[in-house]
Amino acid sequence: MRLMLLGPPGVGKGTQAKLLAKAYGVPHISTGDILRQEVRDGTELGRQAKEYMVRGALVPDDLILAMFESRLDREDTRPGFIVDGFPRTIPQAEAFDRMLARRGLKLDAVVTIEAPLEELVRRSAGRRVCRQCGAPYNVYYQPPKVEGVCDVCGGPLHQRDDDREETVRRRQEVYRAETAPLIAHYEAQGFVRRVDGSQSVEAVLASVQKVLAR
Ligand code: AMP
């Protein structure tokens, strides 16, 4: 299964990607997660990327493409992958198309998940992530059993810097301008399946699996 998830920040791509990765037994590749790990590790890439991430801006294509390609070439992607948060610009999409073509690979589908803007802002602002294991929560929709504590590993929950409201709105604007045009790019290739992201986590997952079975 080679699947790409597209959709605005806060629509639940990361949550769905993790569930789908488990369901299909393939790795979840999130360029946002990789970048956040680089920032935590204090690497040169992390240092450069952080300047853009804290502003809600996109990290330059050349940095992302080199990073993504080396992830794509790891052994675990042989049975497929669920890619989330990449590509984010038309040049990234064109470069990804070429990477796949060079390897003789094809995507099975591009699933776009959508929801109204105010809902997305509320979701992002409510999002919390476990500092230790990365499990996602939402104070409005999917709260942990104990406030501020991860159900899975007991680690502390925190809010990502780029989930603060002003940055969230900026990231929505960047999505409309830079990433939304990718839907037409993949529609032209016949890959696009649309899913309503304003449903519950379970209902969105069921909808994605339904459109994939078509
Ligand atoms: P995400 O977790 O996917 O929302 O990504 C968090 C931040 O990482 C974004 O707001 C960007 O600053 C950066 N980022 C992640 N993926 C990409 C990408 N494919 N291209 C450019 N910047 C990215």
Side-chain angles (χ1 to χ4, degrees):
M1 170 63 69
R2 287 185 211 91
L3 182 65
M4 180 193 298
L5 297 185
L6 266 183
V11 81
K13 293 189 301 295
T15 301
Q16 294 298 327
K18 285 188 179 74
L19 296 170
L20 290 161
K22 219 184 212 173
Y24 294 107
V26 295
H28 166 210
I29 305 182
S30 155
T31 45
D33 284 351
I34 301 173
L35 289 169
R36 281 183 287 277
Q37 187 63 49
E38 296 281 339
V39 172
R40 278 196 295 274
D41 292 347
T43 65
E44 176 58 23
L45 171 60
R47 196 188 57 73
Q48 290 181 37
K50 191 175 175 183
E51 287 177 36
Y52 299 92
M53 294 167 76
V54 293
R55 286 187 278 123
L58 293 182
V59 175
D61 290 341
D62 54 338
L63 296 180
I64 294 289
L65 288 170
M67 178 186 95
F68 180 81
E69 191 159 22
S70 70
R71 177 65 189 88
L72 182 65
D73 281 339
R74 272 175 37 196
E75 189 62 29
D76 64 344
T77 63
R78 242 178 223 206
F81 49 76
I82 314 276
V83 52
D84 137 45
F86 176 89
R88 278 257 221 315
T89 63
I90 290 285
Q92 287 182 21
E94 289 171 349
F96 187 33
D97 291 348
R98 289 192 297 272
M99 278 179 215
L100 292 173
R102 276 200 299 274
R103 290 163 180 77
L105 301 176
K106 255 188 101 179
L107 289 174
D108 291 294
V110 173
V111 173
T112 74
I113 310 180
E114 279 156 38
L117 178 65
E118 285 312 310
E119 170 77 14
L120 296 170
V121 172
R122 188 174 145 90
R123 284 189 186 190
S124 292
R127 179 153 64 183
R128 300 292 181 275
V129 183
C130 175
R131 237 182 237 292
Q132 222 159 259
C133 75
Y137 296 88
N138 192 292
V139 297
Y140 303 115
Y141 305 101
Q142 201 193 352
K145 292 196 185 85
V146 179
E147 193 186 322
V149 180
C150 179
D151 293 346
V152 180
C153 74
L157 304 187
H158 77 117
Q159 183 178 44
R160 280 165 42 178
D161 288 340
D162 58 354
D163 278 339
R164 294 178 207 288
E165 182 158 344
E166 194 189 299
T167 319
V168 164
R169 292 201 183 270
R170 170 87 192 116
R171 291 169 65 213
Q172 295 294 338
E173 285 165 15
V174 170
Y175 173 78
R176 311 272 152 201
E178 304 280 348
T179 311
L182 268 58
I183 298 174
H185 174 87
Y186 288 108
E187 222 150 35
Q189 300 181 20
F191 286 132
V192 175
R193 312 269 185 280
R194 290 173 190 271
V195 165
D196 173 10
S198 59
Q199 318 167 78
S200 69
V201 170
E202 297 74 23
V204 174
L205 179 65
S207 302
V208 173
Q209 291 182 307
K210 196 168 148 196
V211 296
L212 290 177
R214 256 203 253 135

